[in-house]
Structure formats: C-alpha cells, structure tokens
C-alpha cells in the first residue's frame, strides 16, 4: 500500500463526508429523500437524520460492503461511502463539525483500506488457509453478469423478448468460446472476450426494445420546473461534486475501489474491459434514479450516476488522468441534469429501463454470490459447504434483521472458514488433502 493510494482514499473519504455533512450529496439512494426534511424543511432534527442514516446504511456496510470486499481485496464502494453518509450526518452542522467530518471521513477511508489488507493478511496466517477458497465467491459473477440484459428485458417487456435476448446472448457466448481465439499473420494470438461480447449483445437488444417505446409525457419536465431551486443548489456545488467524482475515478484507477460486485470481480480477475462495460451498463441503469431523486431533493450522489467508475477502470494505473476525466464526467452530468431528465420524457421505455436494469443486476448478483459462496464453502469444508450455505440462506430469511440476500454467500463462506480454523485448533477438524 503506497502513500498515493492512502492519500486518494483519504481525500475521497473526507470529501464525501463533508458533502454529506452539508447536505450536498449522499450515496444511499434511500437517504437522499430524507435530507431535505432537515436541511430545507426542518421537519426533523439532526439527531433524527443521523439515526435514519445509521438505520439505512450500517447494516449494508457490515453485512454487504466489507464481506464482498474481503474476497477480492478491493473495496466495494458501499463500504466506504455508506459509512461517510453516517459520519456526515452524525457530525454537527457547524464549522467545527465540518472539520470533524472531513477528519473522520479521511480516517475511515484510510483505516478501511489498511484494515482490509490486515484482515486479508490475517486470514493468510491462519492454520487452515481459506483465503484462496474465498476467490470462488466471485467466479460465477464473471459469467453471470452477461445474463442481466436478458433478465431486464423480461422484466420490462415480457418472457418472450427476454428469452429471445437471453437465447441470442447464450448463442454468442458459446460461439465466442469456441472460435474467439485466433492467430494473426504475424503469429500473435488474439482472444476475444466472450463475456464482454455477450454482454454487449444483450445490451443492444435491451436498448432496442426500450427505445421502441415512445411517449410524450412531461413528467420529468414538470419535476424540473417545480424543483428548479433544488436543481440550482446542485449546480451551485458542482465544483465540489466534480472533485469528488474525480477522486472516485482516481481511486478506481488505483484498483482501490469498485462500484459494484460485478465490476469488482472482473477487476480482481484482470478483466478490465469487461468490468468497464459492466460499470457502463450499471451507469445507464442509475441515470433515471439518480437524476430524478437529485431534482426532487437537491441532493446528488458523490459518485454521480456512477460513470466515474468507468473512467477509473479504463485508466488503470493513471490516477491523475482518471481524476481529471472523472471530474469532467461529473461536471458534464450535472450540467446536463435538467436536459437529460426532460429527454427521458421522450423515451419512457429508456426511463423505465433503469429500474429494470437495477432489479435484474440485483437478482443476478444474489444468485451468483449465493452459488459462489456455496462453491467457496465446499472448498473450505468438502461435503459440508453446500449444506452450510443453503442452511444459512434459508435461516437468514426467518431472522428478525436478516442480511441482504447478496451478502449471505460471502458472509457464510467467511464464517465457515473461521469455524473450521477454531475446530482445527481444538483438534476437531482435519483439512482435506
């Protein structure tokens, strides 16, 4: 871990926390509509805002962000920015509170980065090393992520079009797997990414079906007109937001963070082109959500519509250039906030597609991470792993405060690895040969 990495992640933590402290941006989509109730309407107290922030974010940090990060040694952005949401709302809305927010946010970013490496190193020192097995948690994601356009199409347009999209995608996957490697006249071997081409194929179908749905709604236009002052508030803070977007891109270029479990797994496997494509698709899905909530609340996201992650992935190892272009992307996003929202009125299918993309991605991730957790657990404890993960998954659904489904597989695998080590120290477990 070099100094530059710590500076970048520390600066990101500080900026994100400061933006939350001042009600400029929060990462949690569920918290964004609550922010104006304190900053604009004064309908709730600072304590109530802080309590709400903790309630909607802390479980995701502990139960989802950190466990998914451990398997790949790359921080899932949720573990960073959900916590900065909490810190920003818990620190006072004063000058000293602003300074405290920045210091604590920087400490969280740096501490989490060093702490994750410490945990990884600690796991490697255990008598039964299960760290390598945890890598299997993300393996199903690498192939499964190419399926989500077909699922999104099925959600939005019905089973038939969804099956057509998924079927053509599957055909392309098999075709590229079989014939995607060839040798150029100069003797250089070239391998086409089967997953990347498959995802691109599915996205073409998804966009085609969405664009065909036309409309003349003025829903977003009305929102822009009604909440014009809140849009102005975002544009007033566009420099601070752009700097934060640049830091997100720079941290991604240093392979410190990833925007979602799909691109995280692909980055961890060195498949940066596919990771960028997956992040781009996710960005398309987040445009309607981020833009509409931003217009209504006057509160943006520190990562914008998440396209800054695409910049960082494409500019691996170039944090300075990634910072500049990431800031520029965020600047363009905010400048186009009103125009893009109005434009979505002309294509209601594209507007609705965003919700279906997010739903499809979440469902694919839930299944892929569950299967990955089961595969990892079976490597850790052959003959027991599948029993363990399926049992944890089903029992979790009966808990008063269950983990989110996406977290069950990774958490179950980590807990099983720890249990196996305890049993080994008690001479109650013998690792498989």
């Amino acid at each position: 871990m070099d100094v530059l990495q710590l500076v970048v992640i520390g600066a990101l933590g500080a900026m994100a926390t400061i933006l939350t402290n001042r009600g400029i941006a929060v990462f949690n989509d569920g918290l964004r509509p609550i922010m104006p109730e304190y900053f604009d309407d004064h309908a709730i107290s600072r304590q109530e805002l802080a309590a709400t922030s903790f309630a909607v974010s802390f479980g995701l940090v502990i139960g989802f962000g950190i466990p998914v990060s451990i398997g790949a040694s790359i921080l899932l952005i949720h573990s960073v920015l959900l916590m900065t949401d909490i810190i920003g709302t818990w620190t006072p809305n004063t000058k000293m509170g602003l300074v405290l927010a920045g210091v604590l946010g920087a400490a969280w970013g740096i501490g989490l980065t060093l702490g994750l490496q410490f945990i990884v190193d600690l796991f490697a020192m255990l008598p039964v090393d299960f760290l390598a097995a945890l890598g299997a948690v993300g393996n199903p994601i690498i192939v499964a992520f190419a399926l989500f356009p077909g699922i999104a199409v099925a959600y939005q347009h019905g089973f038939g079009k969804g099956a057509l999209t998924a079927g053509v995608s599957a055909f392309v996957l098999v075709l590229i797997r079989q014939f995607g490697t060839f040798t150029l006249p100069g003797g250089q071997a070239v391998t086409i990414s089967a997953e990347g081409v498959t995802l691109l194929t599915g996205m073409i179908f998804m966009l085609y079906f969405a664009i065909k749905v036309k409309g003349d709604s003025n829903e977003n236009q009305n929102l822009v007109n009604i909440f014009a002052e809140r849009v102005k508030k975002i544009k007033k803070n566009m420099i601070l937001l752009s700097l934060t977007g640049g830091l997100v891109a720079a941290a991604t270029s240093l392979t410190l963070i990833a925007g979602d479990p799909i691109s995280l797994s692909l980055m961890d496997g060195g498949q940066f082109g596919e990771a960028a494509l997956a992040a781009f698709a996710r960005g398309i899905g987040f445009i309607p959500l981020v833009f509409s909530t931003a217009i209504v609340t006057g509160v943006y996201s520190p990562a914008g519509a998440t396209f800054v992650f695409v910049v960082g992935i494409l500019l691996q190892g170039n944090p300075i250039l990634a910072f500049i272009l990431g800031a520029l992307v965020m600047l363009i996003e905010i400048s186009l906030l009103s125009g893009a929202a109005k434009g979505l009125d002309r294509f209601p299918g594209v507007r609705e597609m965003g919700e279906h993309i997010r739903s499809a991605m979440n469902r694919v991730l839930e299944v892929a991470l569950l299967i990955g957790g089961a595969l990892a657990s079976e490597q850790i404890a052959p003959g027991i792993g599948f029993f363990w993960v399926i049992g944890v998954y089903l029992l979790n659904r009966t808990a008063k405060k269950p983990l989110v489904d996406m977290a069950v597989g990774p958490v179950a695998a980590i807990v099983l690895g720890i249990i196996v080590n305890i049993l080994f120290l008690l001479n109650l477990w013998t690792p498989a040969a």
Side-chain angles (χ1 to χ4, degrees):
M1 192 65 59
D2 60 35
V3 175
L4 177 60
Q5 290 177 312
L6 296 179
V7 168
V8 170
I9 197 68
L12 174 58
M15 284 296 297
T17 312
I18 288 170
L19 292 179
T20 300
N21 180 267
R22 284 296 182 261
I24 297 170
V26 294
F27 183 71
N28 192 316
D29 299 314
L31 179 62
R32 202 169 296 129
I34 308 299
M35 298 295 281
E37 294 190 25
Y38 169 76
F39 285 97
D40 297 344
D41 304 330
H42 307 292
I44 61 174
S45 67
R46 186 76 176 188
Q47 291 77 12
E48 289 173 315
L49 176 65
T52 302
S53 174
F54 184 86
V56 300
S57 296
F58 188 71
L60 289 172
V61 175
I62 301 300
F64 175 57
I66 293 177
V68 172
S69 302
I70 290 173
S73 303
I74 300 173
L75 288 170
L76 186 64
I77 193 61
H78 300 65
S79 60
V80 180
L81 296 186
L82 288 175
M83 195 64 188
T84 59
D85 284 353
I86 295 173
I87 297 170
T89 54
W90 277 74
T91 45
N93 187 22
T94 62
K95 289 183 179 179
M96 284 302 298
L98 186 68
V99 173
L100 181 62
V103 171
L104 293 178
W108 172 255
I110 294 171
L112 185 61
T113 303
L114 295 175
L116 182 68
Q117 189 59 51
F118 173 78
I119 293 172
V120 170
D121 293 341
L122 182 64
F123 281 179
M125 295 167 58
L126 292 174
V128 180
D129 182 7
F130 64 94
L131 193 59
L134 287 180
V137 170
N139 287 345
I141 296 176
I142 295 176
V143 175
F145 86 100
L147 180 62
F148 88 82
I151 307 302
V153 170
Y155 284 160
Q156 186 173 9
H157 304 286
F159 174 81
K161 291 179 180 177
L164 174 64
T165 304
V168 173
S169 298
F171 175 75
V172 170
L173 179 64
V174 173
L175 192 67
I176 301 299
R177 286 279 190 200
Q178 289 293 111
F179 306 104
T181 300
F182 53 90
T183 303
L184 296 176
Q188 183 179 2
V190 175
T191 301
I192 299 173
S193 169
E195 293 84 3
V197 176
T198 303
L199 176 61
L200 185 60
T201 302
M203 287 178 63
I204 290 171
F205 274 83
M206 182 177 68
L207 288 168
Y208 171 75
F209 289 131
I211 290 172
K212 284 186 68 177
V213 181
K214 297 289 174 57
D216 54 2
S217 166
N218 59 356
E219 179 181 339
N220 285 329
Q221 171 71 62
N222 291 337
L223 284 179
V224 172
N225 293 336
I226 293 170
F227 298 102
E229 289 302 315
R230 290 182 172 175
V231 174
K232 287 180 182 178
K233 175 189 170 185
I234 294 174
K235 292 186 175 181
K236 178 183 175 182
N237 294 294
M238 66 194 314
I239 300 300
L240 289 175
L241 288 165
S242 297
L243 291 175
T244 308
L247 288 170
V248 172
T252 306
S253 77
L254 292 169
T255 325
L256 286 170
I257 60 173
D260 61 273
I262 294 176
S263 55
L264 185 149
S265 295
L266 292 166
M267 289 169 65
D268 189 51
Q271 296 175 277
F272 294 106
E274 293 85 344
L277 195 56
F280 180 75
R282 182 177 174 81
I284 292 174
F286 268 84
I287 288 176
L289 175 65
V290 173
F291 279 24
S292 60
T293 56
I295 291 168
V296 172
T297 64
V299 181
Y300 207 55
S301 166
T306 73
F307 290 110
V308 288
F309 290 106
V310 182
V311 174
I313 294 170
L314 293 175
L315 294 173
Q316 281 298 299
N318 294 284
I320 295 176
L321 183 57
F323 173 81
I324 295 170
L325 293 182
L328 182 61
V329 165
M330 187 75 100
L331 198 67
I332 293 171
E333 272 186 31
I334 297 170
S335 299
L336 297 176
L337 187 60
S338 301
K342 295 172 187 176
L344 289 174
D345 284 333
R346 295 181 57 197
F347 298 97
V350 175
R351 183 181 61 213
E352 295 165 7
M353 180 183 69
E355 179 183 346
H356 297 298
I357 287 176
R358 295 192 304 276
S359 298
M361 276 190 160
N362 286 340
R363 292 300 296 157
V364 168
L365 279 173
E366 286 170 10
V367 175
L369 284 170
L370 183 66
I371 293 173
L375 293 173
S377 297
E378 189 65 15
Q379 287 185 34
I380 295 168
I384 298 174
F386 293 143
F387 169 88
W388 169 259
V389 172
I390 293 171
V392 170
Y393 176 78
L394 294 175
L395 286 172
N396 177 67
R397 293 201 155 197
T398 67
K400 290 183 178 179
K401 293 184 178 180
L403 291 171
V404 294
D405 285 344
M406 281 189 286
V408 174
V411 169
I414 292 170
V415 172
L416 181 61
I418 294 171
I419 291 174
V420 163
N421 273 277
I422 293 172
L423 293 176
F424 177 82
L425 293 174
L426 297 173
N427 293 318
L428 297 174
W429 181 268
T430 301

